[in-house]
Amino acid sequence: MKIDILICTYNEGIVRAVNILMPYHPDVRYKISHQVTKEEYRFIPEEFEERADVRISQISSAGLSKNRNNALAMAEGDICFIADDDVKYDMDIVLKVAEYFKTVSELDVFVGRIKTYDGEPAYKKYKVWQSKLGWKDIGGVSSIEMVLKREVIRKNHIRFDDHFGIGGNLFPKGEEAVFLSDCLRNKLHIVYFPEFIVKHSCQSSCSHIVYSEEEAKYMGALNRRIFKWLAYPNGILFGIKHFKRYKKNMTFMEFIQAYYKGIQMVKYQ
């Protein structure tokens, strides 16, 4: 089974991405999508040029989802790990994940765990049992927890929505949930396994939601994109459910108004 590590990086991140490389393995390749918005970063580190298992595509656009889609377009392997430029992999674990795709009959998207470094808190609270993920489960999945079966993703024309994600047109997050919702809509099988598949620091990624008008807009837009017309009645339910969290910053009606503004921002869906 051929494996692609799809690495997305931006400007100077291309230097940091060198640290992802593992010892050569004939079944593992690295596909690097490098977004360049400053010409001084339009170069390829020597460490990459020395490796026949590395392929780099430099693009001028901004936005993480566009970067992810370019990496997916480069993919040739049977399965694809979704990576950022600041993660670490272990070859034995990468090959172990590949075995799951060989032995589990209904598996299109593998979702695993992120391991943090010594002395850091856990990335998040994970389940300790294997489970199939549905509509209620996709909101908390991070991109680097995902491993995709390339053929089925491409066959169903599933891509990251560039209205969501860092540097996107509308909101700096939510691209994973939208991507996985499209997988579910196309009847793909998403399975969570209690396996640590990638290492990443918690310092830059673990954060708390700030309930503001922008967050309420985001919730409305995300619901509209994922749940279509159900986003409208969901607004009242969300307003009630999250009231204690946003009441210091806005009233119930202000939350609802912002939520429905968010819906209008993605009404094309």
Side-chain angles (χ1 to χ4, degrees):
M1 177 173 284
K2 301 300 182 182
I3 304 165
D4 278 343
I5 309 292
L6 304 184
I7 304 166
C8 289
T9 189
Y10 178 82
N11 283 339
E12 68 274 15
I14 190 67
V15 176
R16 184 167 56 244
V18 168
N19 296 318
I20 297 178
L21 296 179
M22 296 176 285
Y24 175 80
H25 190 283
D27 293 332
V28 178
R29 296 290 184 271
Y30 305 85
K31 304 294 170 56
I32 304 173
S33 179
H34 181 205
Q35 286 180 318
V36 182
T37 60
K38 296 181 180 179
E39 285 304 308
E40 60 262 39
Y41 300 119
R42 194 176 293 280
F43 65 89
I44 298 176
E46 182 178 344
E47 293 89 339
F48 288 142
E49 293 185 331
E50 295 174 347
R51 297 279 297 252
D53 54 353
V54 174
R55 178 183 164 201
I56 300 177
S57 170
Q58 294 183 320
I59 56 176
S60 299
S61 66
L64 180 56
S65 287
K66 291 179 181 178
N67 212 1
R68 297 262 189 245
N69 288 331
N70 186 55
L72 281 172
M74 297 168 67
E76 300 170 306
D78 298 300
I79 63 171
C80 304
F81 284 72
I82 305 298
D84 290 326
D85 59 22
D86 56 353
V87 301
K88 295 285 288 183
Y89 290 101
D90 178 274
M91 184 62 75
D92 289 338
I93 294 175
V94 168
L95 298 176
K96 183 178 180 180
V97 171
E99 288 299 315
Y100 278 98
F101 281 90
K102 294 178 182 179
T103 59
V104 178
S105 59
E106 294 187 335
L107 176 59
D108 299 309
V109 179
F110 178 112
V111 175
R113 300 196 209 186
I114 299 169
K115 185 176 180 60
T116 54
Y117 290 90
D118 293 344
E120 294 183 346
Y123 194 88
K124 65 178 72 168
K125 186 176 181 180
Y126 287 104
K127 294 178 181 178
V128 295
W129 59 89
Q130 178 180 326
S131 61
K132 191 170 182 178
L133 301 189
W135 292 95
K136 294 181 179 180
D137 309 306
I138 59 177
V141 178
S142 300
S143 294
I144 60 173
E145 295 170 329
M146 296 160 48
V147 186
L148 315 175
K149 185 180 291 184
R150 182 185 64 86
E151 181 181 359
V152 71
I153 296 297
R154 186 163 294 180
K155 179 181 178 181
N156 287 281
H157 309 288
I158 299 172
R159 294 165 53 86
F160 286 89
D161 186 334
D162 59 23
H163 288 85
F164 297 87
I166 294 173
N169 294 335
L170 296 178
F171 302 101
K173 56 183 179 179
E175 73 277 11
E176 301 99 336
V178 172
F179 182 91
L180 292 176
S181 74
D182 288 342
C183 290
L184 290 175
R185 192 166 286 111
N186 284 279
K187 311 300 183 184
L188 272 60
H189 301 282
I190 307 172
V191 184
Y192 163 77
F193 297 88
E195 298 274 4
F196 287 111
I197 66 169
V198 64
K199 199 167 188 177
H200 188 275
S201 174
C202 190
Q203 301 301 321
S204 62
S205 296
C206 299
S207 59
H208 298 285
I209 296 174
V210 177
Y211 282 85
S212 61
E213 180 180 357
E214 284 305 307
E215 182 66 19
K217 287 180 181 177
Y218 161 72
M219 293 174 73
L222 188 67
N223 266 265
R224 182 67 178 96
R225 176 61 175 80
I226 293 176
F227 297 111
K228 310 301 181 182
W229 65 269
L230 287 175
Y232 292 95
N234 281 350
I236 303 298
L237 298 177
F238 270 66
I240 296 172
K241 178 180 179 181
H242 296 279
F243 180 72
K244 290 182 179 180
R245 300 179 181 179
Y246 66 74
K247 65 180 181 179
K248 292 182 180 180
N249 299 322
M250 66 184 82
T251 66
F252 176 79
M253 286 308 301
E254 287 172 337
F255 176 90
I256 294 299
Q257 289 171 356
Y259 176 96
Y260 282 106
K261 284 181 181 178
I263 286 180
Q264 293 303 308
M265 295 171 75
V266 292
K267 62 183 180 180
Y268 66 91
Q269 294 292 345

